[in-house]
Amino acid sequence: MALTKSKKVVQTNWHPDFRNVDALPDIKVIRTDFFVNILTVTIAVASIFYLGYHEYNGIALGSQISELDNKITSKNTENNKNLSFSSKFDNFSKKIVELEQFVESPIDTTEFLTFLGEAIPHEMILTSISYYDREFTEGKKTFVLFIINIRGAAHGSAEIATQTVYDFINKLENLEMFEAILYNTELDSMVRDDALGLFNFSTIIQLKLEE
Amino acid sequence: MLTKKSKGLFFEVSEFSVLAAITSGLDAPFTVESLQESPHDDNADKVRDFVAGLSDDKSRGYIHAHCGIYPKSRFVRRTTLDSPNKAKVPTYFTDLLNDQFRIDPSKYLTTIVNAYDGSDFDLEKGVQNQKELVLCGAQSTEVSEQQEMIVDYGIYPERMELGTLSSLGGLINYANFKSITMPTLVIEITSSNSNVFIINNEKIDVTRPIPFGLNGMFPVIQKELDLKDEESAKKLFYSDTFDFTEMGSALLNKMLKELQSSTGFYEVQTGQTIGQMFLTLLPKNLNWIQQTLSRSLGVEVLHLDYPSWLQSQNISVSEDVQLEGLDSRWLSLFSLMGNYSNSEDGANKI
C-alpha cells in the first residue's frame, strides 16, 4: 500500500500533501550540501595551512637552535679562555685605575709614600691606605675635604700600641706637606686582635683643599 | 541572512477552471492581494501564460504555491474503527481499501486523517480517540501527472493536496464559525463522477461516491433537444446560451435519487434533518443544477460569507479584491489557505 509519508511529517489539518518531492525540479541556486561542503573544506584547508605554518616555523627554529648550540659548543674552550683573560684584565685594570687615581690625587703621593715608609715604626704595619673626596659644609661655606684613611696594626701591650699609634698620627699631623691644608686627624678605631696579638687601628686625615 | 519576504500563491486546478489567489505570504496572517481565474484549457500554453502573469516573484523561474487538485481517481471515504486493536494489524487498512472500497492500494497514494479535525491518523497516539477516520487519495500515476502539469505551468508546489478534502475542512471550519448546528449536504459534481458528503458536528459524517457525473446528462440533452450528437449537447451544456432550468429535474433524475437515498438514510439513522446544501466546483453557468437540487430536495443552499470567514482566520483582503458576489467555487481556493486545527483552536464563532 503506497501510504504517504512513511516517515513522520507533521501535516496541517485537512491538508495532507501528495507531492512526489523527488520528482520536483531542483530550485536551489546553491545547493545546501555544496555550500556546507565548501565551507567545511575551506575550514579544513585553513586549519591545515595554519598548523603547517606553525609546524614549519617550529622546525626552522629548532634547526636554528641546534646550529647555535653547536657554535656555542665549538666556541666554549676559546670562550672560557677569553673569560679568564677578561677576568685577569679586569683585576689588573682596576689596580691600574686605582693607581692612576692615587697618582692624580691632590697630594704629592710620592712624598707621602716616602714619608710613610720612613715614619712607620717597627711595631706597626700598614694594611691599607684609602682616600676619597667629601663635600663639607661649615656655616654658609661649602668645601671639599680630601680624606685619607690609613689602616694598620700595632703590636705590644695596649699602652705601648696606643702610644705607637698616637706617635704615628702626631708625625702625620706635623708633616710639612699637610701644613697648609690639614683640617683634622683622628683615630677612627683601635681594636684588639687576640688571635694575632695585635691592635688594629684606623686613622683618618682630613685635608681641606681649595674651595 | 536577510531575505526578501516572498509572496504567496494559492492555485487550484479542476476540470472546469483554474483559480488563483495572490497573497502576501503562504502562512496566515496574510493579505489576499488578487483573485484571478481562467477556464481550464487543454492547451497548456494558455494556462502557462495565465500563470506567468500572476506574479513576478519567482525562484529559478517557478512561482511557489499551495495547490489543490481534483484527480479523476480521487476518493474520500469514511470509516469507523469498530475495534481499535484492528487498526494495529498491518494489513487492516489495505484490506479495507480492497474489500470495502474496491480500491487497489498498490496503485493508489492514500492518506488517513481523523474525521473530526483532519489531523493525520497516528497509531502511536493510540486509537481510542481516533476511531472516526477518513481515507483519501488518488491513483499514483494520476497524482504524478497532475504534479507534472502544475510544474509545467511554472508553479513549484510547496504543497499539493486533494481539493475535495480541503474544501470539506473549510466547510467544517465555516460551519463552526457560523455556529451552524444542522447537518450540511455537500455535493461535488464533475464530468465523470460525483461525491456526496454530509458534515455535521464539526466532522465528516458521511461520504458516498456516486457513479454519475455531468457527462451522464448529455444523452438526455441530445434526446430532449434533438441534437445531432452528444458532442453538440456537451457544447451547449457548457455554453451560456441555453437555460437548462426547466429540464433540470429530468437531467438530474439519477443524481436526485442517489441524493434522496443518502439524505433519507442519514436522517433516519441520526434523527437529524439536513439543514442546508452546498455545491462545489461548478461554474456559474451551471448554477441551475444547484437551484434544481435545492428545490427538489427541499433544502436551502448555503451561501458563504467569505469576508467575515476569512477575517476570522487572520486573512485580510486588499481593497482591490471584491469578495461579494463570488460563487461557491471559491470555497475550495479559500480552504487551501486555512490552517485548521481542532475546533477549539479554529475560527472564532460569531
Side-chain angles (χ1 to χ4, degrees):
Chain A
M1 174 173 170
L3 280 173
T4 55
K5 307 298 174 291
S6 58
K7 48 183 177 180
K8 287 271 182 189
V9 175
V10 177
Q11 304 195 93
T12 314
N13 291 11
W14 299 114
H15 298 297
D17 189 5
F18 284 84
R19 292 178 309 162
N20 177 2
V21 179
D22 293 334
L24 288 172
D26 184 1
I27 56 169
K28 287 182 184 174
V29 177
I30 298 175
R31 297 185 63 83
T32 307
D33 286 347
F34 171 78
F35 187 75
V36 169
N37 288 340
I38 284 292
L39 189 67
T40 309
V41 167
T42 303
I43 291 170
V45 167
S47 301
I48 290 169
F49 181 76
Y50 178 78
L51 286 169
Y53 176 74
H54 278 276
E55 198 60 34
Y56 171 76
N57 273 349
I59 292 169
L61 280 171
S63 174
Q64 283 177 24
I65 289 168
S66 178
E67 198 182 315
L68 288 170
D69 275 340
N70 288 338
K71 275 187 184 175
I72 289 169
T73 308
S74 68
K75 300 275 184 192
N76 241 356
T77 310
E78 192 183 330
N79 191 50
N80 289 338
K81 199 174 166 186
N82 289 339
L83 282 172
S84 172
F85 281 143
S86 176
S87 177
K88 285 179 185 172
F89 176 80
D90 212 31
N91 292 335
F92 278 124
S93 146
K94 280 178 187 171
K95 287 178 182 172
I96 290 168
V97 168
E98 212 175 279
L99 186 63
E100 193 180 30
Q101 284 173 345
F102 183 69
V103 168
E104 288 175 358
S105 62
I107 59 171
D108 187 339
T109 50
T110 309
E111 190 183 334
F112 184 61
L113 286 172
T114 304
F115 159 76
L116 283 177
E118 290 171 353
I120 296 173
H122 297 296
E123 300 82 15
M124 182 184 286
I125 56 170
L126 293 183
T127 55
S128 72
I129 303 170
S130 60
Y131 55 91
Y132 52 90
D133 293 333
R134 199 184 76 178
E135 264 193 10
F136 187 77
T137 304
E138 197 173 56
K140 290 184 183 178
K141 291 185 183 173
T142 304
F143 46 86
V144 176
L145 288 178
F146 183 74
I147 299 168
I148 303 172
N149 178 214
I150 300 173
R151 297 172 190 264
H155 66 83
S157 64
E159 193 179 339
I160 293 172
T162 305
Q163 190 60 52
T164 303
V165 170
Y166 273 115
D167 285 345
F168 176 69
I169 290 173
N170 200 35
K171 284 180 186 176
L172 284 171
E173 284 175 349
N174 293 316
L175 194 64
E176 193 179 331
M177 63 184 290
F178 289 161
E179 189 179 347
I181 60 176
L182 182 66
Y183 182 76
N184 187 33
T185 60
E186 61 182 75
L187 179 64
D188 188 33
S189 69
M190 184 121 176
V191 176
R192 190 192 184 98
D193 184 346
D194 287 327
L196 296 175
L198 294 173
F199 286 88
N200 293 319
F201 71 91
S202 171
T203 180
I204 289 177
I205 305 162
Q206 295 176 344
L207 302 173
K208 183 178 176 184
L209 300 176
E210 296 287 337
E211 292 178 30
Chain B
M1 194 180 282
L2 292 174
T3 53
K4 191 180 72 169
K5 192 172 185 250
S6 300
K7 288 199 185 288
L9 173 67
F10 293 87
F11 186 80
E12 183 185 86
V13 182
S14 70
E15 64 175 285
F16 304 112
S17 54
V18 176
L19 302 179
I22 313 294
T23 60
S24 58
L26 284 175
D27 298 307
F30 56 74
T31 302
V32 178
E33 297 174 354
S34 163
L35 293 175
Q36 298 191 41
E37 66 170 296
S38 170
H40 185 215
D41 208 305
D42 288 335
N43 186 340
D45 288 334
K46 286 189 180 175
V47 182
R48 219 176 280 125
D49 290 341
F50 168 71
V51 169
L54 291 175
S55 173
D56 292 328
D57 193 359
K58 292 174 186 172
S59 169
R60 299 203 82 183
Y62 293 96
I63 305 175
H64 289 238
H66 284 176
C67 303
I69 57 172
Y70 294 87
K72 282 184 183 165
S73 59
R74 72 193 182 283
F75 69 93
V76 179
R77 303 304 300 269
R78 179 80 165 73
T79 190
T80 301
L81 288 178
D82 298 321
S83 164
N85 289 329
K86 279 187 183 175
K88 295 174 186 173
V89 174
T91 58
Y92 173 75
F93 288 108
T94 50
D95 292 342
L96 181 72
L97 284 168
N98 248 326
D99 302 338
Q100 194 170 333
F101 301 140
R102 299 285 185 262
I103 289 170
D104 182 357
S106 65
K107 293 179 182 173
Y108 277 72
L109 287 176
T110 307
T111 194
I112 307 171
V113 300
N114 283 288
Y116 270 101
D117 59 5
S119 59
D120 280 357
F121 172 70
D122 188 350
L123 210 56
E124 288 179 16
K125 290 182 183 173
V127 295
Q128 289 306 319
N129 295 323
Q130 299 183 89
K131 290 182 186 175
E132 313 292 340
L133 303 174
V134 171
L135 283 74
C136 59
Q139 282 186 354
S140 316
T141 48
E142 197 178 358
V143 172
S144 293
E145 283 166 8
Q146 295 265 303
Q147 180 173 300
E148 276 175 35
M149 177 185 72
I150 285 171
V151 170
D152 185 54
Y153 288 159
I155 288 175
Y156 183 93
E158 293 287 343
R159 192 174 70 207
M160 191 174 74
E161 54 192 283
L162 293 184
T164 306
L165 189 70
S166 60
S167 296
L168 290 171
L171 272 172
I172 288 171
N173 182 272
Y174 183 87
N176 182 44
F177 168 63
K178 286 289 192 181
S179 300
I180 295 171
T181 54
M182 295 180 78
T184 303
L185 177 68
V186 183
I187 307 164
E188 180 185 87
I189 305 176
T190 60
S191 55
S192 54
N193 55 25
S194 302
N195 282 300
V196 174
F197 309 100
I198 298 176
I199 59 173
N200 183 36
N201 202 22
E202 297 177 35
K203 75 177 191 299
I204 299 174
D205 240 355
V206 170
T207 62
R208 186 177 171 194
I210 295 177
F212 176 82
L214 299 174
N215 290 350
M217 299 182 199
F218 301 150
V220 180
I221 294 171
Q222 183 199 359
K223 186 181 172 187
E224 292 284 327
L225 299 178
D226 199 23
L227 297 174
K228 187 174 73 177
D229 51 24
E230 285 185 21
E231 193 58 36
S232 306
K234 182 180 175 181
K235 280 183 186 170
L236 187 67
F237 182 82
Y238 287 112
S239 71
D240 279 328
T241 56
F242 190 87
D243 185 2
F244 286 93
T245 310
E246 279 190 26
M247 293 173 62
S249 298
L251 294 175
L252 293 167
N253 191 34
K254 283 184 185 176
M255 172 73 70
L256 275 167
K257 283 182 181 171
E258 297 283 348
L259 289 173
Q260 281 161 348
S261 167
S262 298
T263 56
F265 182 75
Y266 180 82
E267 286 172 354
V268 165
Q269 280 279 309
T270 63
Q272 296 186 74
T273 309
I274 301 294
Q276 51 281 320
M277 61 171 275
F278 188 85
L279 216 65
T280 66
L281 287 183
L282 294 182
K284 263 187 179 172
N285 65 318
L286 298 181
N287 203 34
W288 58 269
I289 295 177
Q290 182 172 267
Q291 293 168 358
T292 304
L293 291 175
S294 171
R295 192 175 58 246
S296 301
L297 294 170
V299 177
E300 292 290 323
V301 173
L302 176 64
H303 295 285
L304 300 183
D305 175 10
Y306 290 130
S308 56
W309 180 48
L310 289 176
Q311 192 179 12
S312 73
Q313 298 171 72
N314 290 322
I315 298 170
S316 57
V317 175
S318 75
E319 290 175 0
D320 300 330
V321 176
Q322 297 298 321
L323 296 180
E324 288 82 6
L326 289 180
D327 57 44
S328 57
R329 291 175 303 150
W330 293 90
L331 162 80
S332 51
L333 189 71
F334 294 142
S335 296
L336 289 179
M337 300 177 187
N339 187 355
Y340 312 122
S341 53
N342 57 42
S343 60
E344 288 170 13
D345 297 332
N348 296 322
K349 297 194 178 195
I350 292 180

